[in-house]
Amino acid sequence: MNRFKNVLIVTDLDGTLLNSQKNIDVRTREAMDYFMAEGGSFTFATGRLVASFEGVRKKLKWNAPVVFANGSQIYDYSTEKLLWECDLPDSERAYLQTLLNENPGTCLEVYRHMHCSMVNLNDISRRHARGFGFGFEEKASLEEVEGNIAKVLFTNEHSVLEGIRDRIEAEKKNLNVRFSNDVFLEVFSADTDKGRGTLMLAELLGIDKKDIYTAGDQENDLDLLGAAEIAFAPENAVNSVKAAADIILPDNDSDTIAALIEHLCTRYPL
């Protein structure tokens, strides 16, 4: 029952663990069950927060704390406690609002631990909330959002977001900026990312880096792949992620994570 004791798998959700219908296929679910039954620690590193995670929570199984908000939070569902957090600097609110004002048609999704606010709501963000099943409050500006902010998400056409990304990268050293898909641009503290969140989780669990395995498909997963002993990417991953991965797995409609666990069976034989 301890084949995978002190082994950690951390996977992205959308486009990696979840198939195109946001579900987990039977083969992958059985492989996950086997991995955890054999003592392995299985969890997720996602751009989502608790609010947007609820829409898929009932579909998932895991047995370790979850890395949320691109590494800005580690939350333990077994104790319902936030174990670690690294918030967006409050000093950057005015800067982010300026970027929003200068890019008409762009929405800023603002994520706190249990809440989402929308500034300048657009159709992309409206569909995002509906598809992920989370509620939100509309705000007139970022300054109206109270409390610590884990991350923000700009939504618009890709060309507009590329301009925002380029400006942040040129002007700000205390912000991380990553695409999570063509119309979602994530902004969070430069002091963290999915990789550093995963390493922090491994430290909390007492797991060595040589026993960390990760998988992801989008630009915001590059840091996650860098935290692993062996990094995996599904065939549907963007080119930069596939280039960074050690092993390319079948696409997310072909049991990506089952294939990952099958590979680990060769590294940890009975």
Side-chain angles (χ1 to χ4, degrees), residues 10 43-46 65-71 73-75 194 197-198 201:
V10 182
T43 191
F44 322 108
T46 177
V66 179
V67 179
F68 280 119
N70 294 306
Q73 294 184 335
I74 299 175
Y75 185 75
K194 283 188 178 184
T198 293
L201 172 62

Side-chain angles (χ1 to χ4, degrees), residues 14 19 24 52 54 58 60 63 67 82 85 101 111 113 123 132 178 184 188 210 219 230 242 255:
D14 302 288
N19 63 23
I24 301 175
S52 52
E54 290 302 302
K58 292 181 179 179
L60 303 174
N63 63 350
V67 179
L82 196 60
E85 60 184 326
N101 295 342
Y111 291 91
H113 177 45
D123 287 341
F132 281 68
R178 302 282 190 274
F184 293 168
F188 48 99
K210 66 179 180 63
E219 181 185 280
I230 296 178
K242 287 196 283 189
D255 292 295

Side-chain angles (χ1 to χ4, degrees), residues 32 54 86 130 145 152 195 216 254:
M32 292 163 56
E54 290 302 302
C86 182
R130 184 168 61 248
V145 179
V152 299
S254 303

Side-chain angles (χ1 to χ4, degrees), residues 28-230:
T28 290
R29 190 173 296 280
E30 290 176 347
M32 292 163 56
D33 288 343
Y34 175 73
F35 176 79
M36 288 184 276
E38 287 290 334
S41 296
F42 188 93
T43 191
F44 322 108
T46 177
R48 299 177 188 236
L49 272 87
V50 172
S52 52
F53 185 72
E54 290 302 302
V56 296
R57 181 179 173 183
K58 292 181 179 179
K59 301 178 181 180
L60 303 174
K61 288 186 178 181
W62 69 98
N63 63 350
V66 179
V67 179
F68 280 119
N70 294 306
S72 298
Q73 294 184 335
I74 299 175
Y75 185 75
D76 186 356
Y77 276 91
S78 68
T79 61
E80 297 185 347
K81 289 184 178 180
L82 196 60
L83 302 182
W84 183 82
E85 60 184 326
C86 182
D87 294 320
L88 195 71
D90 276 343
S91 58
E92 299 303 336
R93 289 185 183 228
Y95 175 76
L96 294 168
Q97 182 65 49
T98 296
L99 292 179
L100 185 64
N101 295 342
E102 293 178 354
N103 289 275
T106 302
C107 177
L108 190 66
E109 301 184 10
V110 185
Y111 291 91
R112 293 167 290 154
H113 177 45
M114 295 286 188
H115 304 280
C116 175
S117 300
M118 301 277 196
V119 183
N120 194 31
L121 182 64
N122 63 18
D123 287 341
I124 295 171
S125 289
R126 189 177 286 108
R127 288 194 300 269
H128 184 206
R130 184 168 61 248
F132 281 68
F134 63 90
F136 60 87
E137 299 173 327
E138 287 193 60
K139 298 291 186 180
S141 72
L142 186 54
E143 291 301 316
E144 290 188 3
V145 179
E146 298 180 352
N148 295 337
I149 296 172
K151 72 163 190 176
V152 299
L153 175 67
F154 287 97
T155 69
N156 205 331
E157 295 179 359
H158 189 69
S159 59
V160 175
L161 298 183
E162 284 183 315
I164 295 173
R165 176 203 60 192
D166 292 347
R167 182 167 170 185
I168 293 173
E169 288 182 340
E171 296 177 345
K172 291 294 179 180
K173 295 182 179 179
N174 61 342
L175 295 175
N176 262 334
V177 56
R178 302 282 190 274
F179 277 101
S180 53
N181 69 31
D182 283 349
V183 296
F184 293 168
L185 185 67
E186 314 259 359
V187 183
F188 48 99
S189 171
D191 292 330
T192 194
D193 51 54
K194 283 188 178 184
R196 280 180 277 185
T198 293
L199 292 173
M200 175 63 70
L201 172 62
E203 182 178 330
L204 293 171
L205 296 175
I207 293 174
D208 293 335
K209 187 177 186 298
K210 66 179 180 63
D211 295 308
I212 301 173
Y213 302 92
T214 63
D217 71 303
Q218 289 291 330
E219 181 185 280
N220 68 328
D221 295 314
L222 285 167
D223 306 297
L224 174 62
L225 269 59
E229 174 69 11
I230 296 178

